[in-house]
Amino acid sequence: MFSSLAIALCGGLLIGLAASLLLVVNGRIAGISGIISGALWRRESKGSLLSWQVYFIVGLVLSGLLLAVPLKEWLAIEPVVLSAGGIAMPTLLLAGLLVGLGSSLGNGCTSGHCICGIGRLSPRSIAASLVFMLVGIMAAVLLH
């Protein structure tokens, strides 16, 4: 069907399109940590029961679930094992805590800085993205 490169390019185009549409239509940056924070600790109330952040997160999760079943073979999706031999729950909890702490300290996450910030030529986002990549490369080399 498609090569891995074509799948990655299609995914990147969809992410870029979604981030651009959110910025143009809603005037918001598509940083997932900020969107989750806004959904959990809602600061604005404009009469609607749910904030736009909740709809964004639900759409993000549902689209992945809806595509996972019919495209399982095509995308080579492997289930995550949370038992012996797989990823232990304490490890996942610690990883999630560290990601949340890093997002808070960095005033944003990789999606906000790398996808949206670099596209806006933000010096702070470019610096943050370089640090993300450097630490990720170092972690991959040291752990594997």
Side-chain angles (χ1 to χ4, degrees):
M1 262 219 224
F2 284 114
S3 69
S4 296
L5 179 61
I7 293 170
L9 287 173
C10 288
L13 286 171
L14 289 173
I15 290 170
L17 179 63
S20 298
L21 282 173
L22 185 62
L23 184 62
V24 170
V25 172
N26 211 8
R28 305 291 182 153
I29 300 296
I32 301 303
S33 63
I35 291 172
I36 290 173
S37 174
L40 294 175
W41 294 280
R42 190 171 174 192
R43 292 173 200 87
E44 56 188 54
S45 63
K46 294 183 179 178
S48 64
L49 183 62
L50 299 173
S51 65
W52 68 269
Q53 292 99 330
V54 172
Y55 293 112
F56 187 93
I57 294 166
V58 168
L60 197 65
V61 172
L62 282 180
S63 63
L65 292 175
L66 290 174
L67 289 175
V69 175
L71 301 178
K72 181 179 181 182
E73 295 297 321
W74 188 50
L75 297 174
I77 297 172
E78 297 278 336
V80 175
V81 179
L82 300 176
S83 61
I87 302 170
M89 188 58 76
T91 303
L92 286 175
L93 292 173
L94 178 62
L97 180 67
L98 290 174
V99 167
L101 178 63
S103 293
S104 178
L105 290 173
N107 290 323
C109 59
T110 53
S111 58
H113 284 300
C114 296
I115 296 169
C116 301
I118 290 176
R120 293 181 8 254
L121 300 176
S122 164
R124 184 176 72 135
S125 290
I126 292 169
S129 300
L130 289 172
V131 170
F132 294 151
M133 293 303 294
L134 179 64
V135 171
I137 291 167
M138 289 175 17
V141 168
L142 291 174
L143 295 175
H144 294 286

